Amino acid sequence: MKMQAFNTNIHPIWDTMRFPFETPAISKLKSEICLWANSGITGGVVLGDGRTGKSISIGVIKEAIKLKTTNQTLPSITYRAKKRDKRTIAQCYRNLYRITGEKDKKGYSPEDMMDQIVCYILDLAALHSNRQVLLFVDEFQRMTLDQLIVFAELQDELLEDYKALLNVFLFGNIDESDHLLNQVKTSQYNFLHGRFFIQKYVFRGITNKDELSKCLRQYDTLRFPEIDGPTYTEHFLPEAFKNGWRLENLTDLIWKTYLRVKKPERRTSWGMKYFTGTIAPLLSGYLKREGVNRVNEAMVYRAIQASGLITNEINRVK
């Protein structure tokens, strides 16, 4: 079956594969990962609620982590644990092996696959003229601690035999990681705890009105196409934008509406998937159809509802 090419002409606010801009939360995460990578630590854990944008954040930051001493970008690879994966050590080796781009070979042992993985990482490091590579592990809560030992063994071989450093950063859903976080504290996994679980960072979405304002401002300033296109806001509301109206003007109204949803929904932050899923219909639908002068709390609520954030209808705005 022939796969269709990805449509690069899709407007960024509809691109579900990435955020249309770097959020304050991603900027903070990038700074933290950069600090970890430059400190020579072996690994760390990034935890967050579902749909805060952890997976997408990996794609944003993985090519932006630099060594402070040389200003070189550190090469990286991404391991994604899937629900359908078998929770076996063999599966972990197989997934790592596939990252190298090699096809599965019948009769290949874990040792054979490890050799290929090591060669791939060393080649990647050499290509970037350094001896350090970052490994981002997405959805690590779907793995077992015994599987994570594979990453520790990979680190050992690279460091002991080739003097190369592999930093392992584990990304996972905070509510689904408790079993691993508790299990890793047992004596059986002390070494794993010291290797990957000492450094912890909580990734959140929008947590205050100032962060919301910064995000809305991006819609008013970023352009599509990037060079000479209109701003995101201008694209959907050309007349209002021409007359000086900006999406950032709605900061107070949007934040007020979100706060009415936040407590009943027990949200610690506004996940970016939900936030961008709110602004897309608000900007391209409600505001475009009704006009910026008619915007109200009920309209904003309906946009939040369209994002899928609201599950408890008790807090419904009439």
Side-chain angles (χ1 to χ4, degrees), residues 51-95:
R51 297 188 69 79
T52 50
K54 297 182 300 302
S55 297
I56 290 180
S57 72
I58 293 175
V60 175
I61 69 174
K62 69 179 184 179
E63 296 178 359
I65 308 301
K66 296 183 177 182
L67 281 176
K68 291 183 178 179
T69 53
T70 62
N71 202 38
Q72 284 181 306
T73 299
L74 289 171
S76 67
I77 55 179
T78 303
Y79 178 108
R80 287 191 170 85
K82 302 178 179 65
K83 281 186 177 180
R84 66 175 182 269
D85 285 348
K86 296 178 181 178
R87 296 193 172 191
T88 63
I89 292 174
Q91 179 74 62
C92 188
Y93 277 113
R94 195 172 298 114
N95 288 351

Side-chain angles (χ1 to χ4, degrees), residues 156-183:
D156 290 341
E157 182 167 345
L158 286 165
L159 187 60
E160 293 171 8
D161 296 347
Y162 303 99
K163 307 303 179 196
L165 175 62
L166 180 71
N167 305 96
V168 179
F169 303 128
L170 309 174
F171 283 62
N173 288 350
I174 195 165
D175 292 335
E176 300 174 42
S177 302
D178 282 347
H179 65 295
L180 290 178
L181 296 177
N182 291 327
Q183 188 182 5

Side-chain angles (χ1 to χ4, degrees), residues 295-309:
V295 63
N296 54 39
E297 191 174 339
M299 186 185 297
V300 174
Y301 175 88
R302 288 196 295 272
I304 294 176
Q305 190 178 43
S307 75
L309 176 66

